[in-house]
mmCIF file of all heavy atoms in Angstrom:
data_model
loop_
_atom_site.group_PDB
_atom_site.id
_atom_site.type_symbol
_atom_site.label_atom_id
_atom_site.label_comp_id
_atom_site.label_asym_id
_atom_site.label_seq_id
_atom_site.Cartn_x
_atom_site.Cartn_y
_atom_site.Cartn_z
ATOM 1 N N TRP J 68 43.630 -18.432 25.340
ATOM 2 C CA TRP J 68 43.911 -19.919 25.917
ATOM 3 C C TRP J 68 43.265 -21.026 24.935
ATOM 4 O O TRP J 68 43.855 -21.939 24.742
ATOM 5 C CB TRP J 68 43.313 -19.936 27.379
ATOM 6 C CG TRP J 68 43.895 -21.108 28.047
ATOM 7 C CD1 TRP J 68 44.920 -21.926 27.654
ATOM 8 C CD2 TRP J 68 43.504 -21.527 29.278
ATOM 9 N NE1 TRP J 68 45.216 -22.823 28.598
ATOM 10 C CE2 TRP J 68 44.378 -22.580 29.575
ATOM 11 C CE3 TRP J 68 42.588 -21.210 30.310
ATOM 12 C CZ2 TRP J 68 44.399 -23.355 30.861
ATOM 13 C CZ3 TRP J 68 42.540 -21.849 31.494
ATOM 14 C CH2 TRP J 68 43.473 -22.937 31.786
ATOM 15 N N ARG J 69 42.046 -20.636 24.485
ATOM 16 C CA ARG J 69 41.388 -21.596 23.621
ATOM 17 C C ARG J 69 42.214 -21.797 22.336
ATOM 18 O O ARG J 69 42.444 -22.937 21.889
ATOM 19 C CB ARG J 69 39.937 -21.186 23.294
ATOM 20 C CG ARG J 69 39.028 -22.260 22.755
ATOM 21 C CD ARG J 69 37.768 -21.852 22.513
ATOM 22 N NE ARG J 69 37.726 -20.812 21.467
ATOM 23 C CZ ARG J 69 36.512 -20.533 20.886
ATOM 24 N NH1 ARG J 69 35.346 -21.100 21.135
ATOM 25 N NH2 ARG J 69 36.541 -19.566 19.888
ATOM 26 N N ARG J 70 42.630 -20.613 21.790
ATOM 27 C CA ARG J 70 43.463 -20.663 20.570
ATOM 28 C C ARG J 70 44.715 -21.533 20.803
ATOM 29 O O ARG J 70 45.223 -22.229 19.953
ATOM 30 C CB ARG J 70 43.661 -19.382 20.116
ATOM 31 C CG ARG J 70 44.117 -19.229 18.642
ATOM 32 C CD ARG J 70 44.127 -17.889 18.114
ATOM 33 N NE ARG J 70 45.020 -17.041 19.039
ATOM 34 C CZ ARG J 70 45.305 -15.773 18.968
ATOM 35 N NH1 ARG J 70 44.648 -15.073 18.085
ATOM 36 N NH2 ARG J 70 46.073 -15.196 19.730
ATOM 37 N N LYS J 71 45.411 -21.349 21.977
ATOM 38 C CA LYS J 71 46.555 -22.030 22.278
ATOM 39 C C LYS J 71 46.215 -23.452 22.351
ATOM 40 O O LYS J 71 47.209 -24.323 21.839
ATOM 41 C CB LYS J 71 47.217 -21.344 23.552
ATOM 42 C CG LYS J 71 48.412 -22.121 24.124
ATOM 43 C CD LYS J 71 49.558 -21.834 23.260
ATOM 44 C CE LYS J 71 50.682 -22.495 23.917
ATOM 45 N NZ LYS J 71 51.859 -22.601 23.002
ATOM 46 N N LEU J 72 45.246 -23.832 23.046
ATOM 47 C CA LEU J 72 44.895 -25.358 23.103
ATOM 48 C C LEU J 72 44.662 -25.835 21.856
ATOM 49 O O LEU J 72 44.974 -27.087 21.574
ATOM 50 C CB LEU J 72 43.711 -25.406 24.118
ATOM 51 C CG LEU J 72 43.963 -25.195 25.566
ATOM 52 C CD1 LEU J 72 42.735 -25.212 26.259
ATOM 53 C CD2 LEU J 72 44.848 -26.186 26.139
ATOM 54 N N ARG J 73 44.043 -25.131 20.916
ATOM 55 C CA ARG J 73 43.725 -25.717 19.587
ATOM 56 C C ARG J 73 44.987 -25.915 18.788
ATOM 57 O O ARG J 73 45.124 -26.799 18.077
ATOM 58 C CB ARG J 73 42.764 -24.687 18.855
ATOM 59 C CG ARG J 73 41.312 -24.870 19.372
ATOM 60 C CD ARG J 73 40.345 -24.756 18.259
ATOM 61 N NE ARG J 73 39.037 -25.225 18.691
ATOM 62 C CZ ARG J 73 38.054 -24.408 19.077
ATOM 63 N NH1 ARG J 73 38.184 -23.178 18.793
ATOM 64 N NH2 ARG J 73 36.960 -25.004 19.624
ATOM 65 N N THR J 74 45.921 -24.886 18.986
ATOM 66 C CA THR J 74 47.321 -24.914 18.260
ATOM 67 C C THR J 74 48.151 -26.156 18.703
ATOM 68 O O THR J 74 48.633 -26.731 17.892
ATOM 69 C CB THR J 74 48.013 -23.659 18.591
ATOM 70 O OG1 THR J 74 47.205 -22.512 18.222
ATOM 71 C CG2 THR J 74 49.360 -23.636 17.749
ATOM 72 N N ASP J 75 47.944 -26.523 20.095
ATOM 73 C CA ASP J 75 48.600 -27.512 20.614
ATOM 74 C C ASP J 75 47.951 -28.893 20.353
ATOM 75 O O ASP J 75 48.318 -29.944 20.996
ATOM 76 C CB ASP J 75 48.886 -27.347 22.031
ATOM 77 C CG ASP J 75 49.869 -26.308 22.381
ATOM 78 O OD1 ASP J 75 50.484 -25.832 21.336
ATOM 79 O OD2 ASP J 75 50.043 -25.771 23.500
ATOM 80 N N ALA J 76 46.786 -28.898 19.763
ATOM 81 C CA ALA J 76 45.874 -30.060 19.461
ATOM 82 C C ALA J 76 45.391 -30.714 20.753
ATOM 83 O O ALA J 76 45.022 -31.839 20.825
ATOM 84 C CB ALA J 76 46.647 -31.048 18.690
ATOM 85 N N ALA J 77 45.299 -29.925 21.734
ATOM 86 C CA ALA J 77 44.642 -30.378 23.058
ATOM 87 C C ALA J 77 43.164 -30.290 22.929
ATOM 88 O O ALA J 77 42.387 -31.092 23.537
ATOM 89 C CB ALA J 77 45.029 -29.535 24.139
ATOM 90 N N LEU J 78 42.715 -29.406 22.049
ATOM 91 C CA LEU J 78 41.234 -29.221 21.778
ATOM 92 C C LEU J 78 40.975 -29.634 20.351
ATOM 93 O O LEU J 78 41.807 -29.343 19.467
ATOM 94 C CB LEU J 78 40.785 -27.835 21.985
ATOM 95 C CG LEU J 78 40.386 -27.388 23.453
ATOM 96 C CD1 LEU J 78 39.952 -25.958 23.387
ATOM 97 C CD2 LEU J 78 39.275 -28.258 23.980
ATOM 98 N N PRO J 79 39.889 -30.175 20.008
ATOM 99 C CA PRO J 79 39.575 -30.432 18.502
ATOM 100 C C PRO J 79 39.398 -29.260 17.880
ATOM 101 O O PRO J 79 38.977 -28.182 18.435
ATOM 102 C CB PRO J 79 38.324 -31.304 18.617
ATOM 103 C CG PRO J 79 37.652 -31.011 19.905
ATOM 104 C CD PRO J 79 38.880 -30.662 20.815
ATOM 105 N N PRO J 80 39.659 -29.104 16.522
ATOM 106 C CA PRO J 80 39.553 -27.778 15.790
ATOM 107 C C PRO J 80 38.051 -27.418 15.773
ATOM 108 O O PRO J 80 37.083 -28.201 15.869
ATOM 109 C CB PRO J 80 39.937 -28.098 14.350
ATOM 110 C CG PRO J 80 39.892 -29.735 14.277
ATOM 111 C CD PRO J 80 40.124 -30.250 15.669
ATOM 112 N N SER J 81 37.852 -26.117 15.642
ATOM 113 C CA SER J 81 36.479 -25.627 15.703
ATOM 114 C C SER J 81 35.747 -26.200 14.422
ATOM 115 O O SER J 81 36.282 -26.537 13.339
ATOM 116 C CB SER J 81 36.349 -24.072 15.597
ATOM 117 O OG SER J 81 37.151 -23.637 14.509
ATOM 118 N N ARG J 82 34.482 -26.054 14.346
ATOM 119 C CA ARG J 82 33.644 -26.514 13.238
ATOM 120 C C ARG J 82 33.964 -25.728 11.867
ATOM 121 O O ARG J 82 34.275 -26.254 10.890
ATOM 122 C CB ARG J 82 32.142 -26.319 13.521
ATOM 123 C CG ARG J 82 31.533 -27.380 14.134
ATOM 124 C CD ARG J 82 30.118 -27.250 14.171
ATOM 125 N NE ARG J 82 29.516 -27.825 15.383
ATOM 126 C CZ ARG J 82 28.357 -27.389 16.052
ATOM 127 N NH1 ARG J 82 27.595 -26.407 15.453
ATOM 128 N NH2 ARG J 82 27.955 -27.884 17.142
ATOM 129 N N ARG J 83 34.219 -24.440 12.133
ATOM 130 C CA ARG J 83 34.502 -23.578 10.834
ATOM 131 C C ARG J 83 35.899 -23.940 10.442
ATOM 132 O O ARG J 83 36.113 -24.166 9.152
ATOM 133 C CB ARG J 83 34.684 -22.211 11.360
ATOM 134 C CG ARG J 83 34.408 -21.148 10.128
ATOM 135 C CD ARG J 83 34.708 -19.745 10.490
ATOM 136 N NE ARG J 83 34.165 -19.343 11.796
ATOM 137 C CZ ARG J 83 34.584 -18.199 12.457
ATOM 138 N NH1 ARG J 83 35.604 -17.423 11.833
ATOM 139 N NH2 ARG J 83 34.011 -17.914 13.567
ATOM 140 N N GLN J 84 36.917 -24.307 11.276
ATOM 141 C CA GLN J 84 38.134 -24.625 10.864
ATOM 142 C C GLN J 84 38.155 -26.037 10.286
ATOM 143 O O GLN J 84 38.823 -26.222 9.195
ATOM 144 C CB GLN J 84 39.179 -24.761 12.099
ATOM 145 C CG GLN J 84 40.504 -24.765 11.826
ATOM 146 C CD GLN J 84 41.466 -24.863 12.996
ATOM 147 O OE1 GLN J 84 41.031 -24.576 14.132
ATOM 148 N NE2 GLN J 84 42.786 -25.201 12.841
ATOM 149 N N ALA J 85 37.374 -26.967 10.776
ATOM 150 C CA ALA J 85 37.269 -28.346 10.212
ATOM 151 C C ALA J 85 36.765 -28.375 8.827
ATOM 152 O O ALA J 85 37.129 -29.004 7.928
ATOM 153 C CB ALA J 85 36.425 -29.191 11.089
ATOM 154 N N ARG J 86 35.688 -27.421 8.612
ATOM 155 C CA ARG J 86 35.111 -27.285 7.318
ATOM 156 C C ARG J 86 36.075 -26.719 6.398
ATOM 157 O O ARG J 86 36.171 -27.163 5.288
ATOM 158 C CB ARG J 86 33.864 -26.262 7.505
ATOM 159 C CG ARG J 86 32.557 -26.986 6.865
ATOM 160 C CD ARG J 86 31.416 -25.968 7.050
ATOM 161 N NE ARG J 86 31.125 -25.852 8.449
ATOM 162 C CZ ARG J 86 30.617 -24.616 9.008
ATOM 163 N NH1 ARG J 86 30.616 -23.531 8.184
ATOM 164 N NH2 ARG J 86 30.317 -24.569 10.231
ATOM 165 N N ARG J 87 36.820 -25.696 6.817
ATOM 166 C CA ARG J 87 37.804 -25.050 5.885
ATOM 167 C C ARG J 87 38.843 -26.090 5.516
ATOM 168 O O ARG J 87 39.185 -26.155 4.310
ATOM 169 C CB ARG J 87 38.473 -23.883 6.639
ATOM 170 C CG ARG J 87 39.255 -22.985 5.713
ATOM 171 C CD ARG J 87 39.744 -21.739 6.202
ATOM 172 N NE ARG J 87 40.450 -22.067 7.465
ATOM 173 C CZ ARG J 87 40.372 -21.316 8.592
ATOM 174 N NH1 ARG J 87 39.439 -20.310 8.752
ATOM 175 N NH2 ARG J 87 41.015 -21.613 9.650
ATOM 176 N N GLU J 88 39.220 -26.942 6.466
ATOM 177 C CA GLU J 88 40.326 -27.937 6.175
ATOM 178 C C GLU J 88 39.794 -28.949 5.143
ATOM 179 O O GLU J 88 40.425 -29.345 4.344
ATOM 180 C CB GLU J 88 40.953 -28.578 7.516
ATOM 181 C CG GLU J 88 41.815 -27.650 8.167
ATOM 182 C CD GLU J 88 42.186 -28.341 9.540
ATOM 183 O OE1 GLU J 88 41.735 -29.333 9.778
ATOM 184 O OE2 GLU J 88 42.846 -27.678 10.408
ATOM 185 N N ALA J 89 38.558 -29.345 5.452
ATOM 186 C CA ALA J 89 37.927 -30.386 4.571
ATOM 187 C C ALA J 89 37.879 -29.736 3.080
ATOM 188 O O ALA J 89 38.001 -30.521 2.077
ATOM 189 C CB ALA J 89 36.601 -30.622 5.060
ATOM 190 N N ARG J 90 37.508 -28.464 3.061
ATOM 191 C CA ARG J 90 37.357 -27.796 1.790
ATOM 192 C C ARG J 90 38.702 -27.837 1.134
ATOM 193 O O ARG J 90 38.743 -28.106 -0.157
ATOM 194 C CB ARG J 90 36.742 -26.534 1.787
ATOM 195 C CG ARG J 90 36.056 -25.978 0.671
ATOM 196 C CD ARG J 90 35.415 -24.664 0.818
ATOM 197 N NE ARG J 90 34.619 -24.471 2.092
ATOM 198 C CZ ARG J 90 34.839 -23.465 2.919
ATOM 199 N NH1 ARG J 90 35.761 -22.469 2.698
ATOM 200 N NH2 ARG J 90 34.250 -23.314 4.021
ATOM 201 N N GLU J 91 39.713 -27.423 1.749
ATOM 202 C CA GLU J 91 41.113 -27.446 1.246
ATOM 203 C C GLU J 91 41.532 -28.871 0.740
ATOM 204 O O GLU J 91 42.110 -28.966 -0.305
ATOM 205 C CB GLU J 91 42.069 -26.961 2.219
ATOM 206 C CG GLU J 91 42.146 -25.285 2.329
ATOM 207 C CD GLU J 91 42.789 -24.949 3.555
ATOM 208 O OE1 GLU J 91 43.609 -25.760 4.087
ATOM 209 O OE2 GLU J 91 42.744 -23.685 3.886
ATOM 210 N N ARG J 92 41.132 -29.944 1.525
ATOM 211 C CA ARG J 92 41.535 -31.214 1.213
ATOM 212 C C ARG J 92 40.851 -31.564 -0.199
ATOM 213 O O ARG J 92 41.422 -32.255 -0.974
ATOM 214 C CB ARG J 92 41.230 -32.165 2.356
ATOM 215 C CG ARG J 92 42.299 -33.149 2.667
ATOM 216 C CD ARG J 92 41.898 -34.126 3.880
ATOM 217 N NE ARG J 92 41.769 -33.289 5.052
ATOM 218 C CZ ARG J 92 40.818 -33.406 5.911
ATOM 219 N NH1 ARG J 92 39.781 -34.143 5.688
ATOM 220 N NH2 ARG J 92 40.712 -32.664 6.896
ATOM 221 N N ARG J 93 39.547 -31.326 -0.218
ATOM 222 C CA ARG J 93 38.719 -31.664 -1.440
ATOM 223 C C ARG J 93 39.433 -30.930 -2.523
ATOM 224 O O ARG J 93 39.419 -31.412 -3.704
ATOM 225 C CB ARG J 93 37.314 -31.113 -1.163
ATOM 226 C CG ARG J 93 36.526 -32.322 -0.689
ATOM 227 C CD ARG J 93 34.967 -32.115 -1.040
ATOM 228 N NE ARG J 93 34.576 -30.683 -0.769
ATOM 229 C CZ ARG J 93 34.067 -30.404 0.562
ATOM 230 N NH1 ARG J 93 34.018 -31.326 1.395
ATOM 231 N NH2 ARG J 93 33.751 -29.216 0.700
ATOM 232 N N GLY J 94 39.827 -29.641 -2.374
ATOM 233 C CA GLY J 94 40.356 -28.923 -3.421
ATOM 234 C C GLY J 94 41.723 -29.565 -3.905
ATOM 235 O O GLY J 94 41.981 -29.476 -5.054
ATOM 236 N N THR J 95 42.522 -30.110 -2.975
ATOM 237 C CA THR J 95 43.833 -30.725 -3.539
ATOM 238 C C THR J 95 43.492 -32.132 -4.054
ATOM 239 O O THR J 95 44.081 -32.481 -5.089
ATOM 240 C CB THR J 95 44.826 -30.751 -2.293
ATOM 241 O OG1 THR J 95 44.168 -31.401 -1.332
ATOM 242 C CG2 THR J 95 45.286 -29.451 -1.960
ATOM 243 N N ASP J 96 42.697 -32.772 -3.428
ATOM 244 C CA ASP J 96 42.382 -34.191 -3.852
ATOM 245 C C ASP J 96 41.401 -34.202 -5.030
ATOM 246 O O ASP J 96 41.461 -35.120 -5.890
ATOM 247 C CB ASP J 96 41.745 -35.001 -2.838
ATOM 248 C CG ASP J 96 42.757 -35.320 -1.718
ATOM 249 O OD1 ASP J 96 43.865 -35.045 -1.853
ATOM 250 O OD2 ASP J 96 42.408 -35.742 -0.648
ATOM 251 N N GLY J 97 40.364 -33.421 -5.083
ATOM 252 C CA GLY J 97 39.251 -33.539 -6.006
ATOM 253 C C GLY J 97 39.456 -32.859 -7.326
ATOM 254 O O GLY J 97 38.532 -32.350 -7.949
ATOM 255 N N GLY J 98 40.758 -32.547 -7.603
ATOM 256 C CA GLY J 98 41.064 -31.837 -8.926
ATOM 257 C C GLY J 98 40.842 -32.713 -10.059
ATOM 258 O O GLY J 98 41.180 -32.238 -11.181
ATOM 259 N N GLY J 99 40.514 -33.895 -9.726
ATOM 260 C CA GLY J 99 40.321 -34.832 -10.903
ATOM 261 C C GLY J 99 41.591 -35.588 -11.227
ATOM 262 O O GLY J 99 42.665 -35.185 -10.744
ATOM 263 N N ALA J 100 41.450 -36.652 -11.805
ATOM 264 C CA ALA J 100 42.728 -37.590 -12.106
ATOM 265 C C ALA J 100 43.556 -36.802 -13.073
ATOM 266 O O ALA J 100 43.058 -36.249 -14.025
ATOM 267 C CB ALA J 100 42.321 -38.946 -12.659
ATOM 268 N N PRO J 101 44.873 -36.840 -13.005
ATOM 269 C CA PRO J 101 45.736 -36.125 -13.860
ATOM 270 C C PRO J 101 45.871 -37.016 -15.235
ATOM 271 O O PRO J 101 45.545 -38.077 -15.305
ATOM 272 C CB PRO J 101 47.072 -36.237 -13.283
ATOM 273 C CG PRO J 101 47.157 -37.303 -12.218
ATOM 274 C CD PRO J 101 45.619 -37.358 -11.828
ATOM 275 N N ASP J 102 46.179 -36.175 -16.249
ATOM 276 C CA ASP J 102 46.220 -36.685 -17.516
ATOM 277 C C ASP J 102 47.280 -37.771 -17.568
ATOM 278 O O ASP J 102 48.507 -37.534 -17.352
ATOM 279 C CB ASP J 102 46.502 -35.609 -18.644
ATOM 280 C CG ASP J 102 46.481 -36.084 -19.954
ATOM 281 O OD1 ASP J 102 45.872 -37.193 -20.146
ATOM 282 O OD2 ASP J 102 47.033 -35.429 -20.877
ATOM 283 N N PRO J 103 46.949 -39.061 -18.048
ATOM 284 C CA PRO J 103 47.917 -40.170 -17.980
ATOM 285 C C PRO J 103 49.258 -39.848 -18.928
ATOM 286 O O PRO J 103 50.361 -40.133 -18.733
ATOM 287 C CB PRO J 103 47.288 -41.285 -18.490
ATOM 288 C CG PRO J 103 45.819 -41.129 -18.186
ATOM 289 C CD PRO J 103 45.759 -39.616 -18.309
#
Side-chain angles (χ1 to χ4, degrees):
Chain J
W68 198 6
R69 195 178 66 161
R70 198 174 51 189
K71 173 75 178 162
L72 287 174
R73 289 221 163 108
T74 308
D75 294 346
L78 275 181
S81 64
R82 270 187 218 160
R83 200 192 316 165
Q84 193 184 348
R86 233 180 291 141
R87 194 175 50 223
E88 282 175 4
R90 209 179 310 132
E91 280 171 8
R92 223 176 298 129
R93 268 203 309 272
T95 53
D96 292 349
D102 183 21

